[in-house]
């Protein structure tokens, strides 16, 4: 049996750190914001190379708050990609704006910057590149496009904690970057969590009010805000995990290299990594027209896999009103029918990895019929 993800295995490697952090929060009854959140925000800012981190209760909220801080609202348009989790587009919709999609590079499945000029309008206010699966988007052309048109860049780094582009951490290129700390992420909580990072100190202060009912002082509210605070327990867990993240990411890169080495001779396509990118492999996906058959075969062998994402956002019922039917974004649509995500986590053993690659090799060597 090889699980797709094994969170308990991670916990066992740092049990003492986690248990001490949780016990400290319980001892101090510091359940909402408090010193644990302040400590994590400080440490994550240093780790990311940004001036400010604002912890919130989910990655989806982080995206919505970043758009709000950027002044995006009703009647505006935001350019992004259709092959992401729906939260990327939902955040745009929740602030009253309209998501406008561009197709992706057929090799990397990342935003194709060459297509941006085709969709920009006088209503465009922001662009959200998605560092899909933990692989950095080449940021220079996107930032140049945004500067030319006076747009805000908000990096969706929900899957890319610690990834680098040209030696610089992702999340440090745009005015804002948004992270998810969902349990399965490279850096995950024991529940929900997210963060916005920025170098704009004033906007960070605004975001801290926004997450706390528009208040920076109890019972005094400067604006209509949200109850979107990160809990003290989640912040403490993240702070305990953060010192281990670089090593975990290195382990993921080792597993990815081993997967590529073992499977390179098979009729599979690997999702490409742009030259100059240092990915962190939140997801390791391969592509094959026989995706569904391969997944069934692996399931029968006790090997869990995933599909990210089977239906692109523009083909979801929730976004049918945009009028972008099948064929609108062919590269994203084609990838959605071919991608299969293999087990990937730092604690994956060599034996488990070999079981996965062995089963895949057997599938492709089996006689037809």
């Amino acid at each position: 049996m090889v699980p797709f993800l094994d969170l308990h295995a991670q916990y066992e490697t740092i049990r003492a750190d986690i248990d001490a952090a949780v016990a400290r929060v319980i001892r101090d009854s510091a359940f909402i914001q408090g010193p644990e959140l302040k400590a994590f925000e400080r440490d994550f800012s240093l780790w990311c190379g940004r001036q400010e981190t604002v912890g919130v209760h989910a990655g989806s909220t982080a995206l919505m708050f970043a758009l709000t801080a950027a002044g995006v609202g009703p009647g505006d348009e935001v350019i992004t990609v259709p092959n992401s989790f729906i939260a990327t587009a939902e955040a745009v919709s929740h602030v009253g704006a309209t998501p406008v999609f561009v197709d992706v590079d057929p090799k990397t499945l990342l935003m194709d910057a060459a297509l941006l000029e085709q969709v920009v309008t006088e209503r465009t206010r922001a662009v959200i590149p998605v560092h899909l699966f933990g692989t950095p988007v080449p940021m220079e052309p996107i930032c140049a496009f945004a500067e030319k048109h006076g747009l805000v860049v908000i990096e969706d780094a929900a899957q890319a904690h610690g990834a680098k582009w040209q030696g610089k951490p992702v999340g440090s290129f745009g005015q804002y970057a948004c992270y998810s700390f969902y349990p399965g992420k490279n850096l995950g909580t024991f529940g929900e969590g997210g963060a916005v990072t920025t170098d704009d100190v004033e906007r960070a202060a605004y975001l801290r009010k926004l997450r706390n009912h528009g208040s920076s002082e109890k019972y005094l509210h400067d604006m209509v805000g949200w109850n979107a605070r990160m809990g003290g327990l989640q912040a403490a867990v993240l702070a305990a995990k953060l010192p281990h993240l670089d090593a975990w990411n290195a382990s993921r890169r080792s597993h990815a290299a081993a997967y590529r080495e073992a499977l390179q001779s098979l009729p599979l396509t690997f999702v490409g990594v742009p030259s100059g990118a240092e990915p962190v492999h939140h997801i390791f996906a391969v592509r094959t027209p026989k995706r569904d058959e391969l997944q069934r075969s692996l399931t029968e062998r006790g090997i869990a896999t995933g599909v990210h994402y089977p239906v692109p956002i523009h083909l979801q019922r929730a976004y049918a009103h945009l009028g972008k039917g099948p064929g609108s974004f062919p590269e994203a649509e084609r990838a959605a029918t071919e991608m299969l995500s293999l087990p990937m986590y730092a604690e994956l053993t060599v034996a488990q990895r070999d079981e996965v690659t062995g089963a895949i090799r057997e599938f492709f060597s089996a006689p037809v019929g």
Side-chain angles (χ1 to χ4, degrees), residues 16-69:
D17 294 343
I18 294 294
D19 289 355
V22 171
R24 187 170 61 249
V25 174
I26 295 172
R27 180 198 67 198
D28 297 339
S29 298
F31 300 114
I32 304 298
Q33 300 194 133
E36 299 294 340
L37 179 58
K38 289 181 181 178
F40 170 69
E41 289 178 334
R42 178 199 64 223
D43 293 348
F44 195 68
S45 294
L46 290 171
W47 189 79
C48 290
R50 298 305 301 252
Q51 290 295 314
E52 298 283 347
T53 294
V54 180
V56 294
H57 80 283
S60 303
T61 307
L63 286 163
M64 186 177 68
F65 277 20
L67 287 161
T68 302

Side-chain angles (χ1 to χ4, degrees), residues 16 103 109 113 118 122 188 196 245 266 268 277 291 332 337 341 357 362:
D103 211 348
L109 305 184
Q118 299 177 18
E122 62 181 13
V196 181
L245 184 53
L266 300 180
L268 291 169
R291 189 266 307 283
T337 68
S341 304
T357 57
E362 286 187 20

Side-chain angles (χ1 to χ4, degrees), residues 209-225:
K209 287 185 182 180
L210 190 64
R211 74 182 176 189
N212 188 38
H213 299 287
S215 173
S216 57
E217 184 177 350
K218 193 170 184 178
Y219 298 133
L220 296 179
H221 306 271
D222 299 329
M223 59 188 181
V224 176

